[in-house]
Amino acid sequence: MASAASPQEQNLRNTPFHPSLHLYPLNDSFVTKRIALIPESGKVKIGRRTNALNVPTGQNGYFDCKVLSRQHAEVWEEGGKIYIKDIRSSNGTFINGERLSSGGLVSEPFELRSDDVLEFGINITGENDVVLYPKVAAKVKVVLTPDDLAVEGSLRSRL
């Protein structure tokens, strides 16, 4: 006889699956984000909070971070891959330490892969190199299938 599914497992089965981008903080600049990439909704904007309409949550691309531009980058899923591009940010978008474009220019789309290090902006420092305003730094997890989600869940439960 099969064991009964937990409430979390039942909820996952009843929720339509969408590819998503999971961002795990490498500094204290934000909480973990799981951003669903729903094709019908278009590209997801990444940017700085500017008003009550774009309050940061664990499911959207907004951050309380002074080094991000209001409209900093965009992410989307296409053809079984997740892409990002910088959309004229001042302080840049970086993948594994490489800036996607010069300041004020739109970058080409870049594919994101699990375990990439994604950074939005740069650390703004003051006297004695004390960080006044930290960049957003995250480890990427690309979730393209329900199996990717299951693998991630089993890894987290072992930590």
Side-chain angles (χ1 to χ4, degrees):
M1 179 188 295
S3 63
S6 72
Q8 286 178 323
E9 291 170 327
Q10 287 179 350
N11 189 34
L12 282 175
R13 289 181 193 156
N14 296 331
T15 304
F17 176 81
H18 296 289
S20 58
L21 174 63
H22 295 197
L23 300 177
Y24 296 94
L26 295 175
N27 56 18
D28 293 329
S29 61
F30 70 102
V31 297
T32 298
K33 290 190 176 278
R34 292 175 181 84
I35 304 168
L37 301 173
I38 304 167
E40 306 79 46
S41 299
K43 296 176 180 174
V44 174
K45 299 285 187 207
I46 304 293
R48 181 180 74 231
R49 175 188 181 166
T50 57
N51 59 46
L53 298 177
N54 54 20
V55 173
T57 70
Q59 293 79 43
N60 68 25
Y62 295 109
F63 295 85
D64 272 325
C65 182
K66 294 181 186 285
V67 302
L68 265 74
S69 297
R70 286 182 299 251
Q71 294 188 23
H72 196 97
E74 298 175 327
V75 294
W76 68 97
E77 184 274 335
E78 183 179 312
K81 297 178 181 181
I82 293 179
Y83 294 95
I84 187 167
K85 73 175 179 178
D86 188 288
I87 52 173
R88 297 186 177 97
S89 72
S90 299
N91 292 321
T93 300
F94 302 80
I95 299 175
N96 301 322
E98 295 291 322
R99 189 169 180 160
L100 301 189
S101 64
S102 297
L105 297 176
V106 174
S107 75
E108 294 294 320
F110 284 82
E111 181 183 354
L112 285 172
R113 298 169 194 242
S114 289
D115 296 322
D116 280 345
V117 173
L118 178 62
E119 298 169 311
F120 298 116
I122 56 173
N123 287 332
I124 303 298
T125 57
E127 202 170 301
N128 298 324
D129 290 327
V130 172
V131 176
L132 301 173
Y133 304 110
K135 64 187 172 187
V136 169
K139 182 72 92 170
V140 169
K141 172 65 177 164
V142 170
V143 178
L144 295 168
T145 69
D147 288 341
D148 293 340
L149 195 57
V151 167
E152 179 182 5
S154 72
L155 291 175
R156 271 189 290 141
S157 68
R158 289 187 219 156
L159 297 179

